[in-house]
Amino acid sequence: MHQKRKGWHPFWTALGAALLVLLPLVGTTVLLSRQQLRSQLRQAAQSQRSVPLSLPREDHRLTLLLCIAGEQPGFVLLYLSAPQNCVEILALPAQLTVSFGDAPVPLAHCYRAAGPARCRQALQASLPLPQDTRYLALSAGVLEQLAQRYGDLRVGFSGALTEEELAQYGRTGEVQGICAAEAHSFLCAMDADGLLPPARRAAARAAVWDAFFRQNMDLLPTALPEGLRSVSSSLLTDLTAQDYLNLADTLEFLANAAAPVETQVLPGQWDPAADRYGITAESLAAVQTFLRVSPTAGHAPSDREPYPSTSIPESGCLPVRS
């Protein structure tokens, strides 16, 4: 009988050698392609900023309710103001109690039942938000598509969660690189488990958005409005064509002035038994801080004024500030 020969077959040996050579080349090509795209975006942003702009107008500002759709929706309020030179981020717990159909329900329930426009309306009925607050809702897939051009984020979650809590989800308190898909999966896993208070989970979401704006401010004036237009058919939003133009100019002013990014979580009263995160006086004060509004001047823009501490580690606000 014919006896099989032992040892490596020449075909498999050649294949293994080829893979050893090709895999590093493919990985390097992908990395260089992403770096080249980011460099092109940066050059485009710098080119755009080489054209001097006039001083910002009062309408170079935007208040936006950002909703990330899914079984575990996420919510963030953004306030961009060129006249005040600020980028404000206010994370909203999904369990925030709002009025929907004359009944108190979590904001996440309101979103799943009626969408982002109804969420905006419910928030305006409960919080002192401007009447011209816009809304923007997008799926995790669209968010990942938009975020690809910016690359991974360097995020530190130590200000939001303890080492033990992070370890449950395979993370540490050290600053770490994370892509949009990983960030979304991490945040959704925490919301699905429901083991941590809502403010803690919202603080982790705030940390991701804080890193996004800090690390990509020079790219946003050109890339963000163009990116949103490119996926406009996949968005639920009331942003108009004029809003996109205004957004580009506002971000341009903010990038040129190196606007500071301030991030916090809406404080509130957490009732685990009822699964409600109620609005309090501290909630209202936090929104005034978020909007740079003076408590003694109605809704007129002003510099920040001091407010009582809103740090409630276990059941309320967990600020994420630089």
Side-chain angles (χ1 to χ4, degrees):
M1 295 180 63
H2 178 70
Q3 185 177 4
K4 292 184 180 181
R5 295 179 59 185
K6 297 182 179 180
W8 286 99
H9 192 283
F11 170 78
W12 298 112
T13 302
L15 179 60
L19 290 177
L20 288 175
V21 174
L22 290 176
L23 287 179
L25 289 176
V26 171
T28 302
T29 301
V30 172
L31 179 60
L32 291 176
S33 297
R34 293 182 64 178
Q35 291 178 342
Q36 183 179 12
L37 176 59
R38 188 177 180 86
S39 176
Q40 290 172 348
L41 290 171
R42 202 176 292 277
Q43 290 174 2
Q46 291 173 350
S47 175
Q48 181 176 342
R49 287 201 294 277
S50 66
V51 179
L53 293 174
S54 59
L55 292 175
R57 303 187 306 267
E58 279 303 310
D59 61 347
H60 284 135
R61 67 177 79 236
L62 174 68
T63 308
L64 179 69
L65 171 63
L66 178 62
C67 310
I68 308 303
E71 293 184 6
Q72 306 295 331
F75 306 94
V76 173
L77 278 169
L78 300 176
Y79 178 60
L80 312 176
S81 174
Q84 295 166 290
N85 192 39
C86 68
V87 176
E88 300 284 340
I89 302 172
L90 182 65
L92 305 177
Q95 287 73 27
L96 178 65
T97 302
V98 296
S99 179
F100 178 69
D102 297 326
V105 299
L107 185 60
H109 175 84
C110 180
Y111 179 84
R112 286 190 288 262
R118 184 63 181 86
C119 284
R120 190 263 312 272
Q121 181 183 356
L123 287 171
Q124 287 179 320
S126 305
L127 299 171
L129 296 177
Q131 289 302 309
D132 61 354
T133 298
R134 304 299 192 191
Y135 65 84
L136 170 64
L138 63 165
S139 67
V142 173
L143 176 62
E144 292 164 16
Q145 179 181 342
L146 289 172
Q148 282 180 351
R149 64 185 63 195
Y150 303 104
D152 290 354
L153 294 175
R154 299 287 295 168
V155 185
F157 293 105
S158 59
L161 305 172
T162 66
E163 288 285 352
E164 292 76 13
E165 291 166 346
L166 287 166
Q168 297 179 34
Y169 300 94
R171 302 204 168 271
T172 69
E174 298 179 358
V175 175
Q176 54 204 272
I178 186 171
C179 69
E182 293 171 333
H184 180 72
S185 177
F186 169 53
L187 296 171
C188 285
M190 285 195 299
D191 285 335
D193 292 344
L195 301 177
L196 302 178
R200 304 282 283 278
R201 289 177 258 155
R205 186 177 302 278
V208 173
W209 285 103
D210 183 272
F212 174 77
F213 275 93
R214 288 180 187 276
Q215 296 170 30
N216 297 301
M217 184 62 72
D218 58 338
L219 305 178
L220 295 181
T222 301
L224 186 57
E226 290 180 358
L228 290 173
R229 291 191 191 97
S230 70
V231 295
S232 59
S233 61
S234 302
L235 304 176
L236 290 177
T237 183
D238 62 347
L239 289 170
T240 65
Q242 182 58 44
D243 288 328
Y244 285 124
L245 294 174
N246 189 58
L247 173 61
D249 288 344
T250 300
L251 290 170
E252 183 71 16
F253 283 117
L254 295 172
N256 282 333
V261 179
E262 298 284 348
T263 307
Q264 62 177 321
V265 174
L266 183 74
Q269 183 61 47
W270 169 232
D271 182 356
D275 193 29
R276 291 184 181 179
Y277 191 85
I279 293 173
T280 65
E282 284 188 326
S283 309
L284 305 180
V287 173
Q288 288 180 317
T289 300
F290 164 73
L291 294 172
R292 297 289 183 103
V293 172
S294 168
T296 58
H299 289 281
S302 73
D303 293 333
R304 289 185 180 276
E305 296 196 8
Y307 291 97
S309 171
T310 56
S311 177
I312 307 176
E314 293 301 329
S315 60
C317 176
L318 184 62
V320 182
R321 291 197 175 273
S322 57

